[in-house]
Every structure is written in structure tokens, then in C-alpha cells.
């Protein structure tokens, strides 16, 4: 049995969520352990994706699992991901983020993307994704660049949600 450790998820307005993550130089045991911990943290939340910066690690790595409840788990690990193509066609999804708990809004993004990445064994892949997987890949890749889904909303909505969480952080004493 693999040893996995659930980590704490960082919430806005923590500035760590605005940092640009650094490429991973080698897919070694430390990175494999990090990916396992991220999957554990994501499943426990529960969420369908998690970027390394959400647990305070500024590396270009995210995990996701968009399998349906009745299907078996399908964990995916994306290291140094790069979008190589985006469709002109757009689609709208109601998005949420574990770093912005219990806040959901519709976001429009390219409906399909091609993404190149390394898996947890260091093997290179290029896949074409659509539907929820495409949305999730773009949401997670944004995290690695310090971008959040609320950045796509109106300033009014973004300011409102930032204010709410800033107030909350002060109350909790963070
Ligand atoms: O759990 C999550 N659900 C979700 C729903 C729609 C679009 C994106 C996501 S990702 C989110 C987990 C998360 O915050 N990943 O960064
Ligand atoms: Ni998120």
C-alpha cells in the first residue's frame, strides 16, 4: 500500500495562488510522492482536479479525475503540461475551485484542447480532450500560471468574492 498524505488546501486571498509555477526538471521519487499526495488531497476534498500551487508547491504539476461516480477511479497526472491547440468553438461550464470554497459561476473556454505533458513515470503524452476534461485541464493549467476562474468574471463579481474571503481570512486569523 502506497503511503499518501493529505495536505491542506490553500484558500484565496493567499498570494501563493497568484505565483507562476516552475517547470519540473526530473520526474523523480519526490515528484511521484507529491503526485500521490495531491491525488489523496483531491479525492478527500472531494474535487475533480488539484494543482500543486493549491497545496503551496510552486511546480508545474496537476492531477485530475473526471470519471463519473459509478465508474472506477481514473487518476491522471500532468507534469509540465502545455496546450498545443485550442478549438475556436467555446463551451460554458459551471466551475468551482477548492481554493474558493462553495462559489460557483459559469465560465466560457475553448470546448476542446490538445495538451502535451509527462505522466508520473516521465512518459510523454499528447491527448485531445473535450467536455469536462477540457475545461478541467484549462482550469488547472491556469492555476500553474497564477490564474483563477474568477479572473474570467466581471470585476464586480470578482471583487465581491475576494472581499468575502478576505474578511473570512481575517476572522480566522490567517
Ligand atoms: O473540483 C473541481 N471542480 C471543477 C468543476 C468545474 C470546473 C473545474 C473544476 S476544478 C475543481 C477543483 C479545483 O479547484 N482544481 O483546481
Ligand atoms: Ni481550482
Amino acid at each position: 500500500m502506497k503511503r499518501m498524505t493529505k495536505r491542506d488546501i490553500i484558500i484565496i486571498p493567499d498570494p501563493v495562488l497568484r505565483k507562476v509555477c516552475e517547470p519540473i526538471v526530473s520526474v523523480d521519487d519526490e515528484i511521484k510522492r507529491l503526485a500521490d499526495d495531491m491525488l489523496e488531497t483531491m479525492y478527500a476534498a472531494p474535487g475533480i482536479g488539484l494543482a500543486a500551487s493549491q497545496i503551496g508547491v510552486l511546480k508545474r504539476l496537476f492531477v485530475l479525475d473526471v470519471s463519473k461516480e459509478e465508474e472506477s477511479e481514473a487518476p491522471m497526472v500532468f507534469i509540465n503540461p502545455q496546450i498545443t491547440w485550442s478549438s475556436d468553438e467555446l463551451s460554458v461550464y459551471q466551475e468551482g475551485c477548492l481554493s474558493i470554497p462553495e462559489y460557483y459561476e459559469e465560465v466560457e473556454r475553448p470546448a476542446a484542447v490538445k495538451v502535451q505533458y509527462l505522466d508520473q513515470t516521465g512518459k510523454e503524452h499528447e491527448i485531445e480532450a473535450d467536455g469536462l476534461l477540457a475545461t478541467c485541464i484549462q482550469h488547472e493549467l491556469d492555476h500553474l500560471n497564477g490564474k483563477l476562474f474568477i479572473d474570467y468574471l466581471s470585476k464586480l463579481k470578482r471583487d465581491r468574492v475576494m472581499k468575502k474571503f478576505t474578511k473570512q481570512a481575517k476572522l480566522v486569523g490567517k
Side-chain angles (χ1 to χ4, degrees):
M1 175 55 190
K2 262 183 192 162
R3 271 231 77 76
M4 301 203 248
T5 311
K6 201 180 90 180
R7 313 263 197 115
D8 289 332
I9 295 174
I10 292 167
I11 308 298
I12 58 166
D14 195 314
V16 121
L17 294 168
R18 293 306 190 174
K19 304 272 192 212
V20 176
C21 296
E22 294 292 329
I24 288 169
V25 198
S26 89
V27 183
D28 54 19
D29 286 350
E30 188 199 324
I31 294 299
K32 282 176 202 142
R33 203 166 327 122
L34 174 62
D36 284 340
D37 286 359
M38 286 170 59
L39 284 164
E40 174 93 346
T41 306
M42 178 190 80
Y43 286 125
I48 58 173
L50 189 74
S53 53
Q54 293 181 278
I55 57 163
V57 177
L58 296 177
K59 293 189 169 142
R60 301 191 76 80
L61 161 68
F62 66 76
V63 297
L64 53 83
D65 185 339
V66 295
S67 63
K68 301 196 182 83
E69 259 179 61
E70 68 275 14
E71 297 169 352
S72 47
E73 284 184 355
M76 298 178 82
V77 176
F78 293 76
I79 295 168
N80 297 339
Q82 278 185 299
I83 288 179
T84 55
W85 171 83
S86 305
S87 64
D88 292 331
E89 190 200 334
L90 305 175
S91 75
V92 175
Y93 264 95
Q94 170 119 312
E95 298 196 18
C97 182
L98 293 171
S99 296
I100 314 170
E102 289 164 63
Y103 183 75
Y104 307 92
E105 277 289 348
E106 288 190 336
V107 176
E108 191 176 49
R109 302 181 185 268
V113 292
K114 275 188 188 158
V115 59
Q116 204 175 64
Y117 64 98
L118 305 177
D119 67 17
Q120 66 277 22
T121 71
K123 187 168 173 259
E124 195 176 307
H125 296 262
E126 185 167 37
I127 59 164
E128 186 169 334
D130 62 10
L132 181 59
L133 179 59
T135 289
C136 210
I137 286 169
Q138 294 172 79
H139 174 116
E140 301 310 336
L141 195 43
D142 274 351
H143 273 299
L144 304 185
N145 294 322
K147 194 166 171 116
L148 302 171
F149 84 89
I150 52 172
D151 298 346
Y152 297 98
L153 309 179
S154 68
K155 181 167 163 22
L156 180 71
K157 282 186 178 170
R158 185 169 54 255
D159 286 352
R160 209 189 278 145
V161 66
M162 285 305 291
K163 198 173 159 191
K164 184 193 153 191
F165 282 93
T166 301
K167 210 163 149 185
Q168 183 64 28
K170 285 196 178 112
L171 281 172
V172 188
K174 281 188 182 164

